Amino acid sequence: MRPRVARLAVALLVAGLAACSSGPEKPKPTPLEPLKAQIAGRQVWSQGLGSVDFPLRIASGAGAVVLASSDGRVIALAAETGRELWRGDADGKLSAGVGSDGRYASVVTIGNELVVLDSGKPLWRTRLTTRVVTPPLVAGERVFVLGIDRSVQAFDVLDGRKLWVQQRPGDPLTLLQPGVLLPWKDTLVVGQGPRLAGLDPLRGSVRWDTTVASPRGTNEVERLADLVGPAARVGDAVCVRGFQAAVGCVNAEAGTLAWAKTTGGTNGVAADEQLVFSADATDRITAWKRASGEVAWTSERMLHRGLSSPLVVGPTLVFGDFEGQVHFLDRSNGAPLLRLPTDGQPIVGAPVKVGTTIVAVTRRGTVFAFRPE
């Protein structure tokens, strides 16, 4: 990574931390209103993982979840029972993870090493030239990596050979927050700054490229509008958030922008056939109509509660908060339906659904599984 980009990326993080510690007093979280459960649900298992102080994303599929702790432990658990399927170690503290296709799992260490494990056994590792905070993507016998300099690299999952690199012309400032990296049919969809691009996963060539968020503001920090994860795939649509700028949906078949709406916020989105959901920087929850971007509803019931990225599960919308509460809301209007506690620590990343089980992880590193009924 170029020295100036590295200095500015770090400077942005330091400035943000300083603002948090020396700025005006934070607004107080909205107290939780008494709730009589409208749906049934319960905790079905929990497992200790180890503390999580990096932006963990839970990998899921084939009845299992793959997770990692900050110290480099990587573990696969059966979603139904919590039974350990395998365990491995990246031999280093982590900055990004987890990517997995069910067999192979990939993480990145703070020493900029990309590590791949085969059912928990270390397979290979290679040093990267750029810092990574976005979980790698493991798909099609390849490992794809998105750097904070917005470069995309592809490696052979079996031996670690670098297959290609795709680099967009650099910008003066980058965002230390997980971005967008996901498969759509035979296309690799990646966020590069405020643009969403579709790449050929075999060669790295650009198939389409469209702007979702328009940078605003008078300086480099205010004009940051990088696309942040998680994104949502529904049919031909990929819906994303631009950091403090917009939420929008792109037709991934045609590579064209369907709509984008100006809105603040730093977390990713979830979507179903009808609606797109996310919370803004104040934790105001908004649902947009997926076809048009028109606002369907908003809710201010949980302002300033440090909400996670959302998860849509049938008729419910799921968020975690800074006290470890897992909230089940009516997806049609945001009304609370059920609230389940964890260990009192913030929920990390977005909850995931595997079969009939919803899995969430706290900052302390406890994995909780719930089953709404």
Side-chain angles (χ1 to χ4, degrees), residues 223-287:
R223 291 177 60 80
L224 273 171
D226 289 43
L227 304 185
V228 297
R233 295 175 304 177
V234 183
D236 288 345
V238 176
C239 300
V240 295
R241 175 183 288 282
F243 180 81
Q244 293 288 35
V247 166
C249 290
V250 170
N251 183 310
E253 185 71 58
T256 56
L257 181 66
W259 57 265
K261 300 296 179 180
T262 300
T263 180
T266 62
N267 284 343
V269 305
D272 59 19
E273 289 290 342
Q274 287 79 39
L275 298 171
V276 179
F277 308 93
S278 191
D280 67 15
T282 67
D283 292 320
R284 176 186 295 106
I285 301 169
T286 301

Side-chain angles (χ1 to χ4, degrees), residues 7 25 35 63 131 151 207 223 225 250 257 264 266 269 288 308 310 313 334:
R7 288 197 300 270
E25 184 178 349
L35 175 61
R131 185 170 180 182
S151 64
R207 290 175 171 170
R223 291 177 60 80
V250 170
L257 181 66
T266 62
V269 305
W288 296 267
S308 70
V313 184

Side-chain angles (χ1 to χ4, degrees), residues 291-361:
S292 65
E294 179 185 350
V295 173
W297 57 261
T298 62
S299 172
E300 297 186 350
R301 284 187 170 96
M302 289 188 283
L303 292 180
H304 311 297
R305 293 200 60 83
L307 296 182
S308 70
S309 295
L311 168 70
V312 186
V313 184
T316 63
L317 178 64
V318 183
F319 284 91
D321 75 10
F322 81 109
E323 292 181 319
Q325 298 287 338
V326 178
H327 303 270
F328 295 76
L329 312 178
D330 188 326
R331 63 167 291 286
S332 67
N333 57 22
L337 300 175
L338 177 68
R339 185 186 305 143
L340 296 173
T342 58
D343 60 8
Q345 294 291 305
I347 300 297
V348 179
V352 301
K353 177 179 179 290
V354 185
T356 60
T357 305
I358 294 170
V359 178
V361 181

Side-chain angles (χ1 to χ4, degrees), residues 206-228:
V206 178
R207 290 175 171 170
W208 52 260
D209 181 301
T210 187
T211 298
V212 177
S214 298
R216 299 175 292 165
T218 58
N219 58 56
E220 291 177 339
V221 174
E222 291 176 347
R223 291 177 60 80
L224 273 171
D226 289 43
L227 304 185
V228 297

